[in-house]
Amino acid sequence: MALKLIQKEHLVDNVWASRFVPSEPLKWTAGQYVSVELPHQNPDGEGTKRWFTVSSAPYEKIVQITTRVTQSSFKQALSKLPIGGELQLLDTPHGNFVWQDGDRPLVFIAGGIGITPFRSILKQRVHDKLPLKVTLIYGSRTPDVPFKDELEAWSRADANLKIDYVVGAPLTIERLAELVPDL
């Protein structure tokens, strides 16, 4: 299945969101990932295939890939893909890193670009008007973090979503215990 690029957005630093429309309807659960291929000239040792969490929510019906653009040949080719250019989806979405209801409090821990599955999950829950009873701990090198405006808006709208940013310091067990004492 082809994924046609419809939009690119610079988020922060060297992080970009690329939005694609699938050539046929695609179903996935928020938090899952896809395997894609982008043939390009002179691929490095990692080749032309990659796995990315879908950072959009399923209700949006687009596949958003959010990534840090590095020097890898794949990421460089992705950053240069023109609007209308295509990736090939190699398989249906996979993964069980999805919201799981239960009696225990949820704690999401993300570092840097690792926020992508949580953004998908939270955005879908907001859309479905489901509670956001979760603590999100987000570690970042700088205060400029992808999706911060959305996260903050969701937190203001639902007091059950608690967000703690750990900037410029490692997310250690000790730090996590400070932020979530009953962990």
Side-chain angles (χ1 to χ4, degrees):
M1 174 186 314
L3 298 176
K4 183 177 179 180
L5 182 65
I6 59 168
Q7 184 182 26
K8 292 182 191 181
E9 181 183 359
H10 177 245
L11 300 180
V12 297
D13 192 28
N14 61 346
V15 176
W16 287 79
S18 299
R19 296 179 184 99
F20 298 86
V21 173
S23 58
E24 53 193 78
L26 181 66
K27 293 186 182 203
W28 74 93
T29 301
Q32 290 188 309
Y33 66 91
V34 291
S35 174
V36 296
E37 183 169 25
L38 178 57
H40 57 279
Q41 290 186 342
N42 304 313
D44 59 24
E46 294 182 58
T48 61
K49 300 173 185 175
R50 293 291 190 283
W51 294 264
F52 292 99
T53 300
V54 180
S55 59
S56 51
Y59 81 88
E60 295 177 281
K61 299 188 183 336
I62 61 162
V63 174
Q64 178 171 290
I65 293 173
T66 304
T67 189
R68 192 172 297 286
V69 176
T70 64
Q71 292 304 311
S72 83
S73 67
F74 185 97
K75 301 261 181 106
Q76 288 298 309
L78 180 62
S79 74
K80 292 177 177 106
L81 189 67
I83 300 300
E86 294 183 348
L87 294 178
Q88 291 303 308
L89 182 67
L90 299 176
D91 204 352
T92 57
H94 284 90
N96 59 5
F97 197 72
V98 298
W99 185 279
Q100 296 184 19
D101 286 317
D103 297 334
R104 302 175 90 170
L106 291 177
V107 179
F108 291 169
I109 302 171
I113 200 65
I115 190 63
T116 57
F118 302 124
R119 190 263 187 181
S120 175
I121 292 166
L122 294 171
K123 187 163 186 143
Q124 186 66 45
R125 289 188 68 81
V126 166
H127 175 266
D128 293 344
K129 297 179 177 32
L130 296 170
L132 302 177
K133 191 170 183 179
V134 63
T135 298
L136 169 62
I137 300 172
Y138 193 167
S140 178
R141 290 176 290 147
T142 72
D144 297 326
V145 296
F147 311 118
K148 189 172 186 176
D149 291 343
E150 278 181 308
L151 295 169
E152 293 294 319
W154 298 334
S155 179
R156 284 190 302 274
D158 187 334
N160 290 312
L161 174 59
K162 181 178 182 249
I163 303 174
D164 286 302
Y165 299 96
V166 178
V167 177
L171 286 174
T172 63
I173 295 291
E174 294 78 18
R175 183 69 174 128
L176 294 174
E178 289 173 17
L179 296 171
V180 187
D182 57 346
L183 187 62

